[in-house]
Amino acid sequence: MAATTEPGPEAGLVARRLRTGDAEAAARLCSFEDVDAAVVERELAAPDDYCWMGLFRADGTPAAVHRGMRWHRHLLLKGVFVDDGHRGVSAAVGAAFAIRDWARQAGYAGVLAWMERNKPEAQLAARLRIRPVGPLLHRFLVPLPAAGDAAGSDTAPSTGSGLPRPGAGTLTVPLPGEGAPAVGELLGIEQDDPDGTRVGWILDRSRLVLSGNPCRSVDDLKVLRAAAAQTAAATGATALEVLFEAADLLTALSLAKAGVKRLSRSPVNLGVLHFESRSVDGSAVERRAALGRSGAARP
């Protein structure tokens, strides 16, 4: 059997991280309704927390872009967008391999992706050797009323203090009591806080994506929201992205009655690809994230 090789960029396309001047062109490719040039610009201004990888034509316009964000020690892949002229070819795959290999060079412990089994993105994740782990989950968007008022609108590039918004971190939820959590912490964050459960978060547009759900019941969501209030004020977030197991039908019904939005029709797995056996902490990622900022990253 002939050896298989991983795809590189299409002929004539060059892979590199996006720079500030690329925001408008990248935003034109994005299909997320709440991702505009200001959101792209904000994330490009925080290169330790976000990576936008592009495949560029000779004239400098992007054929595809792939978005990722630091979630503790891993890079969470959050969408590949392809220009109409390159659909049906290998641009999406080339951009995905480029961002994966950049993450390895930059010192991340691996890459993550939400895998919805019936979506094309699951096939792309499989090509990257990302494998599903853990239970099937549903992601819910739990609002944080007025949480962003002090920090301005979602697209504002900084907090009211003039400092860049933080894009990732951890918070402690004071729910260390008896009973199993709805979803255990997924990223292996050390549980060294006696006051509760530590979870990782990332700022994805206007929401804080949490790496676990320590709630024992729907009633505990008020504790979770209160624990996230300070982080929401610092980031301008207006909602939490909260996980529950897909098999928990009673909770799903309770949330639906309360008007809480479920983010996908089908359940998802968290997919993981670990790079070799090494692991780095967040500070190491920040120190090494300068790798590839201006150069090409090729699979």
Side-chain angles (χ1 to χ4, degrees):
M1 178 181 293
T4 59
T5 58
E6 294 179 349
E10 290 181 59
L13 298 181
V14 175
R16 66 164 173 83
R17 286 188 75 180
L18 271 64
R19 299 187 283 260
T20 300
D22 299 318
E24 290 280 356
R28 283 195 292 271
L29 297 185
C30 294
S31 57
F32 290 165
E33 63 182 16
D34 51 353
V35 172
D36 58 16
V39 171
V40 181
E41 196 80 49
R42 185 186 74 201
E43 295 185 358
L44 293 179
D48 289 339
D49 292 328
Y50 302 93
C51 176
W52 283 77
M53 180 63 65
L55 292 185
F56 288 83
R57 305 182 185 92
D59 63 1
T61 59
V65 294
H66 204 309
R67 178 174 176 251
M69 53 192 68
R70 178 167 65 87
W71 208 10
H72 195 45
R73 297 182 176 96
H74 289 71
L75 188 73
L76 178 65
L77 306 184
K78 283 288 290 182
V80 58
F81 310 99
V82 182
D83 181 76
D84 288 341
H86 290 266
R87 295 189 185 278
V89 288
S90 60
V93 178
F97 275 93
I99 197 170
R100 183 205 64 179
D101 288 356
W102 172 84
R104 180 187 286 116
Q105 294 171 26
Y108 285 87
V111 293
L112 308 169
W114 293 118
M115 299 179 69
E116 189 174 347
R117 295 180 180 181
N118 297 323
K119 291 292 185 70
E121 290 83 357
Q123 301 174 20
L124 181 57
R127 293 196 67 175
L128 292 172
R129 300 189 179 90
I130 296 173
R131 298 290 182 263
V133 298
L136 285 169
L137 303 168
H138 279 304
R139 297 174 296 145
F140 292 88
L141 199 61
V142 176
L144 292 167
D149 288 352
S153 68
D154 169 50
T155 56
S158 63
T159 65
S161 66
L163 298 175
R165 289 185 184 184
T170 62
L171 59 87
T172 297
V173 184
L175 288 169
E178 296 181 359
V183 177
E185 204 286 313
L186 297 172
L187 304 182
I189 293 174
E190 186 175 357
Q191 297 302 313
D192 55 359
D193 193 327
D195 294 327
T197 302
R198 293 181 69 217
V199 295
W201 62 267
I202 50 175
L203 178 63
D204 181 2
R205 293 162 287 168
S206 60
R207 67 186 67 157
L208 297 176
V209 182
L210 304 182
S211 67
N213 181 2
C215 296
R216 272 60 177 176
S217 70
V218 172
D219 290 339
D220 285 340
L221 283 174
K222 60 180 178 294
V223 180
L224 183 62
R225 294 167 69 178
Q230 185 175 357
T231 301
T235 60
T238 58
L240 301 177
E241 185 175 307
V242 180
L243 302 167
F244 284 94
E245 289 200 24
D248 190 350
L249 299 180
L250 290 178
T251 292
L253 289 172
S254 296
L255 293 170
K257 289 180 180 178
V260 175
K261 179 182 178 182
R262 196 169 78 186
L263 291 176
S264 59
R265 184 183 299 271
S266 301
V268 299
N269 284 111
L270 182 65
V272 181
L273 169 65
H274 296 295
F275 296 148
E276 303 164 354
S277 60
R278 65 191 177 121
S279 175
V280 296
D281 61 25
S283 60
V285 170
E286 292 174 8
R287 289 194 300 271
R288 300 180 65 184
L291 286 170
R293 284 185 189 168
S294 58
R298 296 179 180 273

